Amino acid sequence: MLPREFIVAWMLVFLVIFPNIFNPCTCQLEPRWAAKKRHVMREKVRKMFYHAYDNYMTHAFPHDELKPLTKSFTDSLSELGNLRLEHLPQDYNGSALTLIESLSSLLIMGNSTEFERAVLWLSQNITFHVDARVNLFECNIRVLGGLVSAHILATDSTNRLVHGAYKNQLLILAEDLGKRFLPAFNTPTGLPYAWINLKYGVMVDETTETSTSGCGSLILEMGALSQLTGDPTYEYVAIRALRKLWSMRSSLNLLGTTLDVVTGDWIEYSAGIGAGVDSFYEYLFKAHILFGKEEFWRMFHSAYLAVQKYFRHGPWYHEADMRTGKATYWQLTSLQAFWPGLQVLVGDIAAANSSHREFFHVWEKFGVLPERYLLDHQMLHPTEKYYPLRPELAESTFYLYQATKDSWYLKVGESIVNSLNLYTKVEGGFASVRDVTTMQLEDHQHSFFLAETCKYLYLLFDDSFLVDRNYIFTTEGHPLPVLRDWHDRLPESYISTNWSFAQSEKQGRRTSAMSLQVCPANDNQQVESACHITDARADHRCFTDEECGVDSTTCRRRSCSMAGYCGLWLLV
Ligand code: DMJ
């Protein structure tokens, strides 16, 4: 006979190894697996971020970006698409771009000490009074967005920073930069030049060609700057450009990809949801969330319907001519992978899920996502076989997991993390992939790897930073809070006592939205939101629309699904 103590001890060991052995409900297995997986993966992502960050700080700071293969640097803020490098002064040391881009990620990962150290360094050392020709769009989303977001985080009392030393220096820097942007908007159309010299304004003979996203993706950062400084100019010029751009849409509500800022004529009539246009759609919707203007929602709604009608082919999105709606290029581009994330915010989860699966399928096929894949020929674009550590697939995976809590997305995230470590990690950081067929590397670690790729992967596995907070992320992954003060006026439809449920709306057929049980808003009344109204029941179950509230993130009224859950259902 075995001693009783031995049997008990053995049983305990057995129970530790197989904790669910006596649990008949398999549904209990998933959350435990998921919780453990999330913890392990979160630590893996944290390691990745610091491998990238520490190498940047050692080999490149205060220059803009790290060259991980040669352990050197590049002043890429002025190199982004810039062929006129002769305008860079000899003594230019960069603008610490990667440090600026890392600020919110540091805080999200809980490193307030390093965040504070970085904030103070930037406060004392950065100047934008340099003879450097920069891309307005890139400088806006990376530098202005990074500074504005970091200023908000630095002054947020919940972040436990030593506030004494911080005297709004990042906001002062941001305002200085915003002022340097203004000459770009001085055109007959109000559409901004794509390039601006930070010291001298628009250069003589500057190109008048720009992109749709270059004109239409400024409102979040410039609007936030206006709200923080009280100077409406930044918001005004960004909205004026957006309105002008929107007025140039075709009768099909489609826009092209490139245009002339002086004549207001389109140059490239073909467009899709990828390069040159992507963040235009994103900013229409996010501007509506952030500033509460119905105008943004109306533009977005028409634009979104046009995209679904003319670009969508099953789970894929091709490009089309804005004048005719006829398909032009059948290609998947890496940048398009942000679209499912945007669709989650809209509430179009089923469509988001199916596109996301296709993007992930391509990721798995190549190991990473190639820049351009020709759908009609089922082959890679001959010259765009690269993967520059882009975040879009991770971003959409994060949003889909937030919305569904389906652990499949955790597995997708794990696969992305494993590929990044396997193919792109080198001793000196993370390197872009030059050719996905050979996995040959390129000597560049883009700042968005720290601002977005690592951030979204981290948030996928640990979203504790977002608890009781209501943020939207800019296109560069910088969080901005949805604040009541920033809404000019709550649209009347958001005031619950004004709700009248029109018959037509009640009779509407529910389409394309969530086939899943999705409850993005939580019950916590502390959520800082300009529009949040909780559902009547804590479990989000409902019999009628009247029992549903207003979503804290999107500010859209939720309605009761046929399955009896409050959600962001689309009615047609
Ligand atoms: C980022 O700089 C932004 O997300 C931008 O909108 C386009 N994509 C790059 C990273 O891929």
Side-chain angles (χ1 to χ4, degrees):
M1 282 279 279
L2 289 168
R4 212 169 131 251
E5 291 77 13
F6 178 81
I7 295 171
V8 170
W10 190 88
M11 279 178 72
L12 281 175
V13 170
F14 188 79
L15 280 171
V16 168
I17 298 173
F18 301 107
N20 298 303
I21 196 81
F22 299 122
N23 188 345
C25 175
T26 52
C27 60
Q28 291 297 315
L29 289 171
E30 194 68 348
R32 282 192 200 153
W33 171 87
K36 193 160 170 245
K37 176 64 77 187
R38 290 183 90 200
H39 181 77
V40 171
M41 291 310 299
R42 178 192 73 183
E43 292 311 308
K44 267 196 176 183
V45 178
R46 192 199 298 279
K47 250 179 103 179
M48 284 168 68
F49 174 81
Y50 283 111
H51 184 66
Y53 181 80
D54 292 344
N55 270 296
Y56 164 73
M57 293 303 283
T58 308
H59 303 298
F61 171 79
H63 293 275
D64 287 336
E65 291 181 319
L66 171 70
K67 290 179 131 190
L69 300 182
T70 50
K71 296 186 183 169
S72 58
F73 61 83
T74 161
D75 283 324
S76 39
L77 184 63
S78 356
E79 287 172 9
L80 295 165
N82 189 354
L83 299 175
R84 298 196 203 167
L85 289 178
E86 70 271 19
H87 286 296
L88 273 184
Q90 290 288 313
D91 58 350
Y92 181 61
N93 282 329
S95 308
L97 174 64
T98 300
L99 185 65
I100 294 174
E101 288 258 75
S102 299
L103 292 171
S104 52
S105 301
L106 283 168
L107 213 51
I108 284 172
M109 292 183 195
N111 194 344
S112 48
T113 316
E114 184 65 6
F115 173 83
E116 192 166 0
R117 204 167 72 93
V119 164
L120 295 180
W121 186 91
L122 290 164
S123 303
Q124 288 152 12
N125 293 284
I126 286 291
T127 173
F128 296 118
H129 194 61
V130 282
D131 180 10
R133 177 178 176 260
V134 301
N135 182 283
L136 180 73
F137 166 81
E138 296 290 351
C139 201
N140 174 62
I141 64 171
R142 299 189 198 213
V143 185
L144 187 61
L147 292 175
V148 163
S149 172
H151 164 73
I152 293 168
L153 295 172
T155 49
D156 180 338
S157 58
T158 57
N159 287 328
R160 282 176 282 130
L161 302 180
V162 182
H163 291 104
Y166 183 68
K167 304 236 173 337
N168 297 337
Q169 295 96 324
L170 295 193
L171 182 60
I172 293 165
L173 272 174
E175 190 172 15
D176 175 59
L177 183 59
K179 285 202 170 90
R180 292 170 193 275
F181 286 176
L182 294 178
F185 294 84
N186 195 8
T187 60
T189 58
L191 296 164
Y193 280 95
W195 299 95
I196 182 95
N197 183 296
L198 288 176
K199 194 169 181 181
Y200 299 115
V202 179
M203 310 287 286
V204 178
D205 294 332
E206 186 54 88
T207 177
T208 56
E209 182 171 349
T210 191
S211 66
T212 295
S213 44
C215 299
S217 320
L218 302 156
I219 181 62
L220 293 189
E221 293 82 0
M222 302 279 276
L225 184 60
S226 278
Q227 297 289 342
L228 291 166
T229 59
D231 180 347
T233 316
Y234 313 105
E235 184 174 349
Y236 169 75
V237 293
I239 291 188
R240 190 181 57 177
L242 195 54
R243 285 187 184 138
K244 172 65 189 168
L245 190 64
W246 184 240
S247 77
M248 291 165 61
R249 71 192 183 281
S250 71
S251 57
L252 307 177
N253 286 333
L254 294 176
L255 292 93
T257 306
T258 55
L259 57 135
D260 188 300
V261 299
V262 171
T263 63
D265 293 333
W266 288 105
I267 296 171
E268 174 57 66
Y269 290 100
S270 176
I273 55 166
V277 193
D278 47 358
S279 46
F280 159 74
Y281 293 107
E282 182 183 356
Y283 272 35
L284 286 181
F285 188 62
K286 289 184 176 174
H288 169 63
I289 298 172
L290 199 61
F291 304 119
K293 284 192 197 314
E294 272 299 290
E295 179 187 11
F296 294 131
W297 168 255
R298 279 195 296 273
M299 288 188 223
F300 174 78
H301 191 240
S302 308
Y304 183 76
L305 293 181
V307 165
Q308 298 301 89
K309 183 169 178 184
Y310 295 107
F311 299 162
R312 186 173 176 193
H313 184 81
W316 304 106
Y317 289 84
H318 56 75
E319 292 180 21
D321 189 306
M322 63 176 279
R323 296 162 297 186
T324 61
K326 293 242 161 62
T328 48
Y329 304 108
W330 290 78
Q331 49 196 4
L332 170 149
T333 58
S334 178
L335 290 168
Q336 293 174 341
F338 89 101
W339 189 256
L342 182 62
Q343 289 186 306
V344 168
L345 288 180
V346 182
D348 212 348
I349 307 291
N353 174 52
S354 65
S355 290
H356 175 271
R357 276 173 195 261
E358 299 302 331
F359 282 111
F360 182 54
H361 180 69
V362 178
W363 176 285
E364 278 189 309
K365 180 173 166 153
F366 293 101
V368 292
L369 208 52
E371 188 70 358
R372 205 175 285 267
Y373 183 76
L374 306 176
L375 292 168
D376 42 357
H377 298 98
Q378 293 278 301
M379 61 177 272
L380 289 169
H381 187 281
T383 57
E384 294 185 36
K385 299 180 181 177
Y386 50 89
Y387 168 67
L389 305 173
R390 288 198 191 282
E392 286 77 9
L393 185 65
E395 178 182 354
S396 285
T397 307
F398 154 71
Y399 279 111
L400 273 157
Y401 182 70
Q402 284 284 312
T404 64
K405 297 290 180 253
D406 181 343
S407 59
W408 187 78
Y409 297 108
L410 297 179
K411 291 179 189 152
V412 172
E414 183 178 15
S415 169
I416 295 174
V417 167
N418 289 343
S419 295
L420 288 170
N421 280 314
L422 180 65
Y423 298 120
T424 70
K425 188 177 180 191
V426 292
E427 196 187 55
F430 284 85
S432 301
V433 176
R434 177 168 292 163
D435 183 336
V436 301
T437 60
T438 60
M439 288 298 173
Q440 186 198 358
L441 296 176
E442 191 167 339
D443 201 9
H444 199 163
Q445 177 183 283
H446 292 268
S447 61
F448 52 68
F449 182 69
L450 293 98
E452 294 189 83
T453 314
C454 289
K455 181 184 282 140
Y456 286 124
L457 287 170
Y458 188 88
L459 285 170
L460 170 66
F461 299 116
D462 182 350
D463 60 1
S464 49
F465 181 80
L466 298 175
V467 171
D468 293 348
R469 298 172 182 209
N470 188 18
Y471 284 116
I472 54 125
F473 289 94
T474 67
T475 191
E476 193 70 4
H478 298 304
L480 294 174
V482 181
L483 299 172
R484 184 176 291 273
D485 295 354
W486 287 15
H487 282 226
D488 289 346
R489 180 177 67 85
L490 280 181
E492 286 178 7
S493 58
Y494 296 157
I495 300 167
S496 59
T497 46
N498 287 346
W499 292 356
S500 61
F501 293 85
Q503 274 306 308
S504 58
E505 212 175 283
K506 270 190 163 175
Q507 287 161 358
R509 189 166 58 84
R510 298 182 198 287
T511 59
S512 73
M514 295 169 274
S515 53
L516 298 156
Q517 177 187 330
V518 180
C519 306
N522 67 32
D523 305 313
N524 196 323
Q525 297 286 354
Q526 303 300 315
V527 170
E528 173 60 29
S529 168
C531 57
H532 189 212
I533 297 171
T534 51
D535 298 331
R537 289 177 51 168
D539 62 1
H540 309 284
R541 297 301 302 258
C542 52
F543 291 104
T544 64
D545 288 345
E546 282 83 348
E547 292 170 273
C548 301
V550 173
D551 185 74
S552 65
T553 310
T554 63
C555 295
R556 301 308 302 175
R557 204 182 68 214
R558 292 147 66 84
S559 51
C560 191
S561 76
M562 282 184 225
Y565 289 98
C566 291
L568 293 168
W569 303 88
L570 290 181
L571 295 165
V572 291

